[in-house]
Amino acid sequence: MGTHLLEAYGRWVVRHRWTVLAAVLATTVFLGRAATHLRVEVDPDRQLPQDHPFIQTLNDVHRIFGDKNLVVVGLFPHDGNVFTPSFLKKLAEVTDRLRRIPGANQSLLQSLAAPQVKAIRGTTDGMEVERVMETPPTDMAGAEDVRRRAFSNDAYVGTLVAADGSAAAVQASFELTPETPGYRHLHAAVVAALKAADDGTFDYSLSGPVVFLAQLSIYANRMIYFFPLALVVIGLVHYHAFRTLQALFLPLVTALLSVLWAVGFMGLVGVPFDPYNTTTPILILAVAAGHAVQVLKRFYEEFERSGDVGEAIVASLGRVGPVMIAAGTIAALSFCSLVSFQTATIRTFGLFTGFGIASALVIELTIIPAVRALLPTPRGREREREAAAHPWLDRMLAVAHRTSSKAGARSVFAAAGVLVVLCGVLATRITVDTSYKREFGAREPIRVEDAKINARFAGTNTLVLLVEGDGQGTLEEPPIMRAIYALERRLEGEPGVGKALSYVDFVRQMHRALTADRADQGELPGTRPLTAQYLFLYSLSGGAEDFDTLIDPDHRVAKVRLLIHQDSTYFGQHLIAVAQDVVAKTFPAGYRVRYTGSLASTAAATEVMVHGKLRNILQIALITFCIAALLLRSLTGGLLVATPLALTVAVNFGVMGLLGIPLDTVTSMISAMAVGIGADYAVYFLFRLREELAGGADLDEALGRTLRTSGKAVLFVSSAIAVGYATLCLSGFGLHVQLGSLVALAMIVSSASALILLPAIVARFRPAFLWSSALAAAELEEETAQVGEEWVEAEAAVV
C-alpha cells in the first residue's frame, strides 16, 4: 500500500513540479528570515537540571548569599612584589573598575582593596577591625602596614594574596544583565576593565567558570567555519559515489534546505544555539544528504530498466520512499525522545535534530522528484559514469557476501562475540567525569592562565557546603562551630583543595585576637553567648553587613566555601563523599548540610546527562525495534535492525575505555546519536533484501544484489557522515575532537555490522519474514491464474 501511495504521489509531484518547488521556496524564505535571529549563547540555567538537589541548593545559595558566576583575576607585578605603593594603587583601580561592571555583586567582590576585607586585632579595650587597605599607601611604610594586615588573617592568604606576596587576586561574582547578557559579554567587560587599568607594570590572568564557559561559547561560534568544510567533504564523497555534477549538487541542495529549515525553526521559536547543538547542522546535513543518495541511486537503477525519466522517478519513490520514511521516522523519533530530559539544552538538541530530519524527509520527497523531472534525461555517458565500478568497494562488498556462507558466518559470529566481550571488559575502565578545562589543550592561553593563577592561589573552582540549623542563632553553638572547623581542615587535607573558608574562621580570628594572652581558651569560643558577643563587637567596629556573604542575619544558615584547583566532577563527587562521611560522624543533631558550587553544579548536569543518556539509548533502541518490527511486520525484523546498533554502542564504549575517554556530557550523547543515525543502514539493507527475494531470487543471489546496490549506497552514506563529522577534529577543541572521532567510528561500525553481521545472520537463520513479500506475490499470482482459468472454463461452457 505504501509503495502504491508513494508512486501516486510521485506522479502528482512530476505533474505539478513548479507548484511544488514554489511551495518549498516560499517555506524556505519564511524560515530563512527567522534563521537570521539565531545567536550562540551559553546559558548555565538551561544546561542545569533545576530539580536536582545540587541545583536547588545553588539557587538557595544565590538567593541568600548572592554567589553566582565567579571570575578570578590574578594580578602579577613585574617586580614580583605586591606590597609597593604603585602596585597597590593599581590594585585599587582594578577593583574599582570591576565593581563598576554592570551586574557586579558589590558584597562578593573581594580583593585587598575591597571595603569588606578587614583585619581583626585585639586591643586593651577589646577588638579593633580595620580595612586591610583603606586607601592606597603613598610610601613603603604604608605598604608594609597593608602587608601586615593582609597576612594577619589566614583567610586572605592564598585567596587574595599569594603566600610569597608575589601576586594579588580579585574574586568577583556577577549577575547577567541586559548590558552583559551572556558569558562572552561578561568576560569581555572584565577584560576591558583590566586593559583600561593596564599600565605595563603588571600582567593579568583570568579564570573561573565564567571564563571557561565564555571560551566554550567562542569555540561554538567557530562552527560557522567547519560547516562549509563538512559540506565540501560530503560533496566530494557524493561526487565519488555518482561521478556526475547533477547527483553531486542535488543531495547537497536538499541537505542545505533541511538545515535551513531546522535553524529557521530555532530562530522562529527564539531558541539560541549553545555548544551542544552548534554541530547539529552538520548532523542534519549528513543525514539528509545520505537519504538523497539512496533515492538517486535507485533512480539511476530504475532508469536503466525503463528508459523513462518519469517512470524512473515514480518507481524510485515507490521502492525507496517507504524505506526512507521508515529510517527517517526512527531517527526523528529517537532524537525527539530527548524531550524527556531535565535540561533544556538537551531538549532543544533533540527537537532541533528531530525537526531537521523530518524536514529532510519532506524536502527529499518533493525537491528530488520535482527537480529531477526538470533536468534533462541522463545521457549515456552520465549513466556510465554513475554505474562505473568502484573496485575497492566492490572487493569489500564481495568479501561481505562471502562471509554469509556457512563457514564465513561462523567466523563472523566468533569475531563479533570476541569483540563484544573485549569491549565489555574495556568499558569497565570508563569513569563518569566532566571537566571544562580538559576540553582545551594544555598550551592554550585559557589553560595557561588558569594554571598560572592556580600555582599562586587556592583555586579557581568552588564547592559550597550550605549548613542549616533548626532555628535562629543555632550556628552560634560551640559544637556546630567545632564541627564546621574540623570539616574545613579535613577537606583542606585533600589534594587539590586550596582553601576552605566560613564564618567560623572569622570567629576564630576574633577569639584568638581577644584571648591572645590566654592559651587555655582554645581555638574557638566555648559558649554561645561569647560567640554572639564577638559578632556584636565586630559589627560595632567593622560593619554589620560584612558577614552577610557567609552567614545569614538570623545565624541559622551559613556557607562553607572551598576553593579547588581542578574542575573534575569525579574529584568533586569524591570531596562531597568525604564531606558527607565527616558530617555524618561529627555534626551534632539538628543540622543538615547540602552541597553546591561550580563542581557540584557540573556534577549534577553530568549525572543527569549520563544516566539519562544511558536510559535514552535503551529508549531509542526500543523505538527502533518497535518501528522496524511494525514496518517489517516481524519481531525478528525489529531485532535484526537493533543488532548492529548494539554492537556499535559496545564498540563505542570499548574504545572510550581503551583510550581513557570519560563518560561526560558530550560522550554520553554520541552513543545515542549513533543509535539514532545508524539504524538507517540495517533498515535499507533488510528492505532491499526482502524486495530482491520477492522478485524470485534465491537467498545467496538476493544477498549479492542487495550488497551491490543498497549496500554500496550504505557505504557512501556512512562514509559521508563519518568524514563530515571527522572535520571537527581539525578544530583542536577537545569537545569537537571527541564528537568528530567517535561519531565517525560509530558510523563505520554500524554500517560495517549492517553489511557483514546481518548477511551472516540472515544466511544462517533464514528469518521467515524476509520471504513474506515473495509468498504474498506468489499467492496473488496463483489466485490471478486460478481466476483466469475459471474465466476460460466459464467462457468455454457458454460457447
Side-chain angles (χ1 to χ4, degrees):
M1 183 182 296
T3 297
H4 294 320
L5 286 175
L6 282 169
E7 287 177 347
Y9 167 78
R11 292 189 180 91
W12 182 87
V13 170
V14 170
R15 286 197 305 270
H16 301 87
R17 45 188 175 270
W18 288 110
T19 303
V20 168
L21 290 175
V24 172
L25 178 62
T27 304
T28 302
V29 170
F30 172 73
L31 290 174
R33 288 173 59 88
T36 60
H37 302 301
L38 274 179
R39 65 190 187 280
V40 177
E41 178 182 300
V42 180
D43 184 349
D45 291 333
R46 288 178 53 81
Q47 298 174 26
L48 297 177
Q50 294 299 315
D51 58 350
H52 193 283
F54 292 170
I55 308 307
Q56 291 175 341
T57 305
L58 174 68
N59 295 332
D60 288 341
V61 168
H62 179 230
R63 174 177 52 82
I64 299 171
F65 301 114
D67 293 57
K68 202 169 187 181
N69 301 328
L70 173 67
V71 176
V72 179
V73 179
L75 303 174
F76 306 90
H78 289 169
D79 62 2
N81 183 14
V82 165
F83 299 102
T84 63
S86 59
F87 180 78
L88 291 175
K89 181 179 179 181
K90 190 57 61 176
L91 174 61
E93 180 186 348
V94 169
T95 303
D96 183 63
R97 288 184 180 277
L98 293 177
R99 179 180 292 111
R100 287 189 272 122
I101 292 176
N105 189 316
Q106 305 298 320
S107 60
L108 285 172
L109 196 149
Q110 300 277 311
S111 83
L112 297 181
Q116 63 272 25
V117 175
K118 296 171 181 174
I120 302 170
R121 182 167 60 90
T123 65
T124 55
D125 298 325
M127 180 172 62
E128 182 178 285
V129 180
E130 57 182 334
R131 286 182 59 175
V132 169
M133 187 172 74
E134 181 78 34
T135 58
T138 57
D139 53 28
M140 285 302 298
E144 284 301 313
D145 287 339
V146 174
R147 174 194 289 271
R148 174 185 55 78
R149 290 191 289 269
F151 282 97
S152 69
N153 193 333
D154 291 341
Y156 304 142
V157 180
T159 55
L160 303 182
V161 61
D164 61 359
S166 63
V170 182
Q171 296 184 5
S173 291
F174 296 89
E175 302 286 343
L176 297 180
T177 67
E179 293 86 354
T180 54
Y183 284 165
R184 281 188 301 140
H185 308 88
L186 181 54
H187 178 257
V190 173
V191 170
L194 291 169
K195 285 183 176 179
D198 186 7
D199 62 355
T201 63
F202 67 96
D203 296 324
Y204 58 83
S205 297
L206 278 75
S207 190
V210 166
V211 178
F212 276 92
L213 289 172
Q215 192 67 22
L216 196 65
S217 177
I218 292 172
Y219 270 94
N221 275 293
R222 292 184 182 179
M223 280 300 98
I224 193 173
Y225 305 111
F226 286 95
F227 181 80
L229 178 60
L231 180 66
V232 171
V233 169
I234 292 172
L236 290 175
V237 173
H238 288 168
Y239 182 78
H240 183 65
F242 292 99
R243 299 178 182 179
T244 68
L245 292 178
Q246 290 182 11
L248 162 66
F249 288 109
L250 193 51
L252 293 184
V253 168
T254 58
L256 283 172
L257 289 177
S258 302
V259 173
L260 186 58
W261 281 28
V263 297
F265 176 72
M266 287 189 68
L268 191 65
V269 297
V271 176
F273 271 128
D274 61 42
Y276 296 103
N277 56 38
T278 51
T279 62
T280 307
I282 296 179
L283 170 62
I284 297 172
L285 176 74
V287 172
H291 287 308
V293 166
Q294 293 282 2
V295 175
L296 288 172
K297 273 291 184 184
R298 192 57 184 258
F299 166 78
Y300 281 106
E301 190 178 334
E302 295 296 333
F303 184 77
E304 284 298 319
R305 292 177 183 173
S306 67
D308 182 87
V309 171
E311 285 304 312
I313 293 172
V314 171
S316 60
L317 276 185
R319 295 295 187 179
V320 178
V323 192
M324 186 171 67
I325 292 173
T329 301
I330 290 173
L333 290 179
S334 297
F335 284 106
C336 287
S337 68
L338 296 177
V339 296
S340 61
F341 269 71
Q342 299 173 348
T343 48
T345 187
I346 300 304
R347 293 196 297 269
T348 299
F349 168 75
L351 288 174
F352 176 26
T353 309
F355 182 82
I357 293 174
S359 299
L361 287 178
V362 173
I363 291 170
E364 285 159 354
L365 290 173
T366 53
I367 284 286
I368 291 179
V371 172
R372 184 60 262 187
L374 290 172
L375 294 174
T377 300
R379 293 184 298 235
R381 186 181 177 189
E382 178 185 342
R383 300 199 305 274
E384 290 172 2
R385 295 181 66 184
E386 187 279 328
H390 299 79
W392 60 278
L393 276 184
D394 290 338
R395 286 194 292 271
M396 289 174 58
L397 294 169
V399 170
H401 187 197
R402 286 197 297 272
T403 58
S404 64
S405 66
K406 188 174 182 180
R410 284 198 296 266
S411 300
V412 170
F413 297 153
V418 171
L419 183 61
V420 169
V421 171
L422 178 61
C423 290
V425 172
L426 291 173
T428 60
R429 301 170 53 184
I430 297 176
T431 58
V432 178
D433 184 25
T434 293
S435 168
Y436 291 122
K437 294 181 184 180
R438 191 172 56 230
E439 305 296 344
F440 301 91
R443 296 184 179 180
E444 292 200 42
I446 189 172
R447 284 286 298 275
V448 172
E449 292 191 19
D450 177 76
K452 188 175 181 180
I453 294 175
N454 275 287
R456 307 286 184 91
F457 298 99
T460 56
N461 298 279
T462 62
L463 182 65
V464 176
L465 283 61
L466 193 67
V467 183
E468 299 170 293
D470 287 337
Q472 185 173 348
T474 50
L475 292 183
E476 299 169 2
E477 295 286 355
I480 186 60
M481 288 199 299
R482 287 194 295 269
I484 291 174
Y485 184 74
L487 174 63
E488 290 181 272
R489 305 293 80 82
R490 170 66 181 85
L491 293 175
E492 282 181 339
E494 290 291 319
V497 178
K499 178 78 73 173
L501 185 65
S502 74
Y503 79 100
V504 175
D505 296 286
F506 288 92
V507 172
R508 174 176 173 269
Q509 186 75 13
M510 297 178 214
H511 183 67
R512 292 178 63 187
L514 291 173
T515 61
D517 56 346
R518 289 176 288 171
D520 61 336
Q521 293 300 303
E523 292 281 341
L524 292 164
T527 66
R528 177 174 174 174
L530 185 58
T531 302
Q533 183 180 352
Y534 287 164
L535 294 174
F536 177 70
L537 287 174
Y538 183 95
S539 67
L540 294 178
S541 302
E545 71 285 349
D546 284 356
F547 288 155
D548 286 353
T549 59
L550 295 173
I551 186 170
D552 75 327
D554 291 336
H555 297 172
R556 189 190 70 82
V557 181
K559 72 177 185 184
V560 179
R561 186 168 180 258
L562 276 68
L563 288 175
I564 301 167
H565 294 297
Q566 54 184 298
D567 70 340
S568 162
T569 58
Y570 183 82
F571 179 66
Q573 292 282 24
H574 165 71
L575 284 182
I576 291 173
V578 171
Q580 289 173 331
D581 183 62
V582 173
V583 168
K585 293 178 179 177
T586 63
F587 269 48
Y591 298 90
R592 74 165 177 160
V593 179
R594 295 189 286 154
Y595 305 89
T596 189
S598 62
L599 262 68
S601 298
T602 308
T606 303
E607 176 187 331
V608 170
M609 176 76 77
V610 170
H611 294 169
K613 272 297 180 184
L614 294 178
R615 290 193 302 269
N616 185 240
I617 290 173
L618 298 177
Q619 186 179 11
I620 292 174
L622 182 61
I623 290 173
T624 301
F625 168 77
C626 290
I627 295 178
L630 181 64
L631 293 172
L632 292 169
R633 299 180 183 178
S634 167
L635 296 179
T636 303
L639 289 174
L640 285 179
V641 172
T643 298
L645 306 182
L647 183 61
T648 302
V649 172
V651 171
N652 184 71
F653 284 134
V655 170
M656 288 173 58
L658 177 65
L659 300 180
I661 300 173
L663 197 62
D664 58 20
T665 53
V666 176
T667 54
S668 62
M669 295 172 61
I670 294 170
S671 296
M673 289 171 60
V675 174
I677 303 170
D680 290 7
Y681 311 137
V683 170
Y684 276 109
F685 175 83
L686 289 174
F687 269 84
R688 183 58 187 259
L689 177 59
R690 195 170 67 166
E691 180 186 335
E692 293 294 339
L693 290 171
D698 61 33
L699 179 58
D700 186 67
E701 183 184 0
L703 283 171
R705 288 180 183 173
T706 300
L707 288 170
R708 289 192 299 271
T709 54
S710 182
K712 186 175 286 190
V714 163
L715 286 178
F716 281 123
V717 172
S718 62
S719 59
I721 297 177
V723 176
Y725 258 92
T727 59
L728 296 179
C729 297
L730 300 176
S731 74
F733 182 40
L735 186 152
H736 293 154
V737 170
Q738 289 179 358
L739 189 63
S741 57
L742 290 178
V743 168
L745 173 66
M747 293 303 99
I748 293 171
V749 175
S750 58
S751 60
S753 57
L755 300 180
I756 297 174
L757 182 58
L758 280 188
I761 294 175
V762 168
R764 173 64 180 82
F765 298 101
R766 302 177 68 89
F769 78 91
L770 290 172
W771 280 266
S772 59
S773 296
L775 181 61
E779 290 176 350
L780 179 60
E781 184 177 350
E782 183 179 346
E783 289 177 3
T784 303
Q786 184 177 354
V787 170
E789 290 176 1
E790 292 175 354
W791 175 261
V792 171
E793 291 175 0
E795 194 174 54
V798 170
V799 172

